Amino acid sequence: MSHLFNKAKIIVCVGTGGVGKTTVAASLGIQAAKEGKRVLVLTIDPAKRLAQTLGLENSLNGNILVPEQNYRGKLYAGWVDPETCFNDFVRSNSKDNKKVAKILNNTLYKQLSTNLSGSQEFTSLDRLYREVTGGNFDLVILDTPPAQNAMDFFNAPEKIYALFQRSITRWFAGESKDQNIFAKIINRGTLTVLAALEKLTGAAFIGELADFFTSIQDIQEVISQRSLDVHKMLMEPTTQFILVSTYDKIKILEAKDIYTQFKRFGFNLYSVFINRCLPEWDEPQEELKELYSKFIDLHKTTEGEIDSFRKLLHSEVLLYKIQDLESDLTGIQGLSALSDKISVALKENSLV
Amino acid sequence: MAAEPKNNCKIYLVSGKGGVGKSTVAAAIGHSFASRGLKTLLIELGYNSYFNYVFGRKFSFQPYNIKPNLDLAIWSGEECLKEFISYYIRLSTVVDLFFENKIMKTLVKAAPALQELAILGKLTSGFRKIGPELNYDRIVVDAFSSGHFLSLLRVPKGISDTISLGPMGQQSANIHKTLINSEICNYVWVSTCEELPVQESLEFIGLLNTDFNVTPKLILNKILRPQIPNMVDRASGKFASYLQNIKKREDWSTAEFVKNSKNYVESPFSFHASVEERIQYLSEVYSSYESFV
């Protein structure tokens, strides 16, 4: 059994856009299933072909047993669709059906539940929390949404929690109980601001805003409690992070920055995967030598960057170069081939 | 009242799947405009910049001149919104109140759709004769990738469809109109010749077409085919088979776009070690394409 799968109940894959996070998350899932784990891979916005491979094509919610598998364990996949998940969250946490309908129909709420505004981040962490506490899996692997800055992912839910603060709701909902003189003075300023905002946006918008904040009062407490629980869960030693980057100088520079931030926040980083590394070639025929030497020069720059990243890493965090697949294997065979390459890297780590 | 915008100003919005080289292509397009003497603004959306790594300096909301005729700025929704509010509420005491107010701070930071509207509002302000004008001949936006980009474009219509009354609704409707006006806004879609980006490109080009009646110009980036000697088909060894695979991928991808009646232009694979040199090289290639930009 790989050391990683023994240690972790949650694996979170982070990295910038287009480095192959989803592919790595799915391949890790396959490897864990091969080693006998009952594992769930949660993915956000997967590429269509990958969604097909995982059997998620027509499923916005729920967990699907990935087709074409014959492992010791079992591999499941789930698609975190922000809209569906946010709606579920509202439905399950509000007792009043009328209020639920009112929230779901509010214009601003509809904007909130798209993939803007940090709701992707909020919903995927919420889903992760529910799957982990549900206890149906030995391991849950989360593929995070692309962010230039990995910390955006962990900070984004705060944007959502901030919206659900009592003070802001009270303001729009017009509650005026237990106010002291000081609060009244603040309120006068707030009124001026509100008037300015109304001038900018119009009464119709302010109406929608007030509506939005009044209807979400019910789920405020749940949201802030969930925020604390999720944070605690992410800091536990059984939650391990994998930083994914790719064979490109700038992507590696970006990964270095993410690593530095990670250290500051104290997350448990297990290892760094450099995806799609090119193999060493034998010197080719005369006619191909010119192109060959261009590639070798380019790779030298990339390798230099990888070496300097390796030096920056804490001694316990290992950096692995995952070789690119020789041919365009797609589908479950492609993922399985990648998982073999990853397992080689993981076994090395168990020996360290 | 804002001054009449220059009639020849055009906006280019660049998107594509993550990792296809969208930012490099956007920068190269900006460079090629600038080298033709057009005053150009390159805008990167978001809080963290790819170009910080490329040019080795921190860029910000205020445009910074990186070469003759070419400025670079990074726009976050928050800063766009702040600028918009300050411009409209001219009374400085109220502006201060606005940004010191705790509730307003939260609202500006987190209220759904406001930041997205502010970004697109600032981008189109000159054409809508509202707000401070951007005084450029060409504006190139290195926008979000696929799904995120589409969500951004959908915001103005989403708001104006439901809140049609008042300044907010009207402005949203105007922003949407400007975005789908092909005399002003041009869309560029970047893809590489690999299965996942090709399929995602076909899907999103289709969505841009049905949802916005927009046909983006398709750029196939990192094309190596023309640089591979023909004899590779007969060659053996690991490097040769690597090249054969690339060729096969590129043949398949271009055939896929042809099959779906999508015109494309090719952007060559560049071996320059520095991205800055790569941008310069690509901009020269783009300038040589007649129909390109």
Side-chain angles (χ1 to χ4, degrees):
Chain A
M1 169 75 60
S2 301
H3 175 245
L4 171 65
F5 301 133
N6 257 344
K7 191 174 184 177
K9 287 193 177 120
I10 298 171
I11 298 173
V12 185
C13 295
V14 294
T16 49
V19 294
K21 271 191 306 283
T22 314
T23 317
V24 166
S27 306
L28 275 171
I30 288 181
Q31 189 51 34
K34 281 178 184 168
E35 295 185 20
K37 294 279 179 186
R38 196 179 159 82
V39 52
L40 170 68
V41 176
L42 287 176
T43 163
I44 301 142
D45 217 5
K48 211 174 180 179
R49 182 76 180 89
L50 214 50
Q52 279 169 0
T53 303
L54 297 174
L56 291 173
E57 222 188 345
N58 299 309
S59 141
L60 284 180
N61 223 342
N63 302 323
I64 303 286
L65 184 66
V66 173
E68 290 179 60
Q69 61 175 297
N70 189 16
Y71 309 127
R72 232 168 11 100
K74 282 264 178 290
L75 176 65
Y76 292 81
W79 184 340
V80 185
D81 174 60
E83 208 180 320
T84 321
C85 287
F86 223 110
N87 292 355
D88 283 353
F89 185 87
V90 171
R91 280 200 200 96
S92 60
N93 289 304
S94 183
K95 283 162 204 108
D96 185 342
N97 282 338
K98 266 189 200 152
K99 269 193 184 155
V100 170
K102 207 174 168 195
I103 299 178
L104 299 188
N105 284 321
N106 182 277
T107 309
L108 294 173
Y109 170 77
K110 282 182 189 158
Q111 293 296 334
L112 183 73
S113 57
T114 65
N115 58 3
L116 303 163
S117 312
S119 58
Q120 246 185 358
E121 291 80 356
F122 173 78
T123 47
S124 56
L125 287 175
D126 178 62
R127 175 81 176 270
L128 176 69
Y129 180 82
R130 281 187 287 130
E131 297 295 357
V132 170
T133 48
N136 288 321
F137 302 97
D138 304 322
L139 173 69
V140 183
I141 301 176
L142 176 71
D143 156 38
T144 58
Q148 189 70 254
N149 179 328
M151 298 326 293
D152 282 355
F153 177 74
F154 304 102
N155 293 333
E158 268 172 38
K159 266 170 67 174
I160 303 266
Y161 311 136
L163 258 191
F164 290 82
Q165 276 170 25
R166 190 153 271 285
S167 58
I168 199 167
T169 333
R170 195 181 290 161
W171 186 50
F172 277 100
E175 270 180 27
S176 56
K177 279 177 232 158
D178 60 80
Q179 273 185 351
N180 56 29
I181 290 172
F182 188 59
K184 273 182 186 143
I185 293 167
I186 289 175
N187 253 358
R188 201 169 299 149
T190 312
L191 279 176
T192 320
V193 171
L194 186 60
L197 186 70
E198 182 160 351
K199 203 180 131 206
L200 278 178
T201 60
F205 180 74
I206 300 291
E208 281 286 319
L209 260 184
D211 220 35
F212 173 77
F213 286 113
T214 334
S215 8
I216 59 173
Q217 277 187 91
D218 269 13
I219 51 173
Q220 257 170 1
E221 304 256 316
V222 196
I223 288 208
S224 55
Q225 186 54 45
R226 183 60 48 90
S227 119
L228 293 173
D229 295 343
V230 164
H231 187 76
K232 217 175 112 198
M233 181 181 79
L234 290 176
M235 303 307 287
E236 276 166 16
T238 48
T239 302
Q240 294 289 323
F241 289 78
I242 304 258
L243 172 55
V244 185
S245 186
T246 194
Y247 204 63
D248 173 276
K249 188 184 154 191
I250 302 277
K251 294 283 177 196
I252 294 166
L253 285 173
E254 289 174 342
K256 273 181 170 176
D257 275 1
I258 293 176
Y259 171 71
T260 312
Q261 295 171 40
F262 250 73
K263 248 182 26 189
R264 207 167 47 227
F265 278 79
F267 291 118
N268 310 303
L269 184 64
Y270 187 78
S271 60
V272 176
F273 284 3
I274 309 289
N275 208 9
R276 309 200 64 176
C277 292
L278 290 171
E280 282 184 21
W281 301 303
D282 305 325
E283 190 136 326
Q285 286 96 323
E286 198 53 42
E287 294 96 321
L288 298 177
K289 273 193 180 148
E290 196 195 326
L291 196 54
Y292 173 78
S293 66
K294 281 184 178 174
F295 268 105
I296 298 299
D297 286 347
L298 189 61
H299 291 180
K300 270 188 199 141
T301 325
T302 315
E303 292 291 341
E305 213 51 68
I306 292 176
D307 285 343
S308 107
F309 192 8
R310 216 177 236 136
K311 283 184 195 125
L312 180 79
L313 292 171
H314 188 274
S315 60
E316 278 173 19
V317 179
L318 295 186
L319 181 145
Y320 297 116
K321 287 159 67 182
I322 311 291
Q323 265 192 22
D324 199 12
L325 298 174
E326 288 80 17
S327 57
D328 229 359
L329 273 178
T330 49
I332 203 85
Q333 291 90 350
L335 290 180
S336 190
L338 189 64
S339 87
D340 289 340
K341 291 188 186 291
I342 287 176
S343 86
V344 173
L346 291 178
K347 283 200 182 98
E348 277 172 37
N349 194 30
S350 320
L351 300 174
V352 172
Chain B
M1 217 42 217
E4 195 73 27
K6 287 187 181 172
N7 287 328
N8 59 357
C9 180
K10 287 190 191 323
I11 299 173
Y12 288 77
L13 292 124
V14 185
S15 178
K17 190 180 188 311
V20 296
K22 183 171 53 66
S23 301
T24 310
V25 169
I29 293 174
H31 265 67
S32 72
F33 286 139
S35 54
R36 278 194 270 152
L38 296 161
K39 197 164 181 282
T40 305
L41 175 65
L42 176 63
I43 300 162
E44 192 178 11
L45 298 187
Y47 292 88
N48 290 285
S49 167
Y50 175 81
F51 294 119
N52 284 350
Y53 296 99
V54 174
F55 296 102
R57 73 175 308 282
K58 288 251 179 256
F59 294 98
S60 67
F61 189 62
Q62 289 308 322
Y64 179 87
N65 186 259
I66 52 171
K67 68 166 246 172
N69 290 320
L70 185 62
D71 290 353
L72 173 55
I74 300 171
W75 286 6
S76 72
E78 213 173 316
E79 282 166 309
C80 290
L81 195 58
K82 272 192 180 171
E83 190 193 68
F84 178 79
I85 291 169
S86 316
Y87 186 83
Y88 271 91
I89 313 172
R90 286 167 196 250
L91 222 60
S92 66
T93 48
V94 181
V95 173
D96 289 346
L97 254 179
F98 213 95
F99 294 118
E100 276 160 27
N101 187 290
K102 200 179 143 205
I103 289 161
M104 218 22 86
K105 268 188 191 161
T106 311
L107 205 61
V108 165
K109 236 191 162 104
L114 279 183
Q115 294 198 18
E116 286 76 25
L117 272 183
I119 289 174
L120 296 173
K122 180 169 167 62
L123 183 66
T124 56
S125 62
F127 304 94
R128 299 181 297 117
K129 299 187 183 101
I130 213 154
E133 186 196 346
L134 294 165
N135 200 6
Y136 290 93
D137 302 315
R138 295 287 183 273
I139 299 169
V140 182
V141 186
D142 172 19
F144 305 130
S145 49
S146 317
H148 199 175
F149 179 60
L150 216 67
S151 303
L152 172 75
L153 291 182
R154 281 180 178 145
V155 168
K157 186 148 199 307
I159 295 288
S160 72
D161 280 354
T162 40
I163 311 173
S164 52
L165 295 173
M168 182 96 157
Q170 279 163 14
Q171 287 212 34
S172 299
N174 272 332
I175 294 172
H176 179 69
K177 252 191 232 158
T178 313
L179 287 175
I180 59 169
N181 183 342
S182 60
E183 310 251 302
I184 300 168
C185 286
N186 299 274
Y187 292 80
V188 177
W189 194 269
V190 186
S191 180
T192 49
C193 286
E194 288 164 302
E195 197 189 351
L196 296 184
V198 168
Q199 284 177 342
E200 192 164 308
S201 298
L202 286 171
E203 185 190 344
F204 278 90
I205 291 173
L207 284 171
L208 279 171
N209 212 296
T210 49
D211 291 16
F212 297 93
N213 198 21
V214 150
T215 309
K217 182 159 287 239
L218 174 62
I219 296 184
L220 298 187
N221 196 22
K222 303 182 200 172
I223 296 265
L224 191 67
R225 226 169 26 176
Q227 300 180 63
I228 305 176
N230 280 328
M231 55 71 65
V232 78
D233 299 333
R234 289 169 279 114
S236 58
K238 280 191 172 163
F239 183 63
S241 88
Y242 174 73
L243 294 178
Q244 285 161 6
N245 267 321
I246 291 185
K247 228 175 142 181
K248 215 162 77 189
R249 249 181 227 179
E250 293 184 356
D251 289 342
W252 174 83
S253 305
T254 46
E256 208 50 25
F257 285 118
V258 171
K259 201 170 84 191
N260 288 281
S261 344
K262 299 282 176 282
N263 296 324
Y264 59 83
V265 288
E266 296 188 3
S267 171
F269 189 95
S270 148
F271 287 96
H272 295 94
S274 102
V275 182
E276 218 176 325
E277 283 167 15
R278 230 176 269 180
I279 291 169
Q280 183 62 39
Y281 164 69
L282 289 180
S283 83
E284 282 159 23
V285 175
Y286 296 173
S287 298
S288 72
Y289 290 153
E290 277 286 320
S291 66
F292 191 57
V293 274

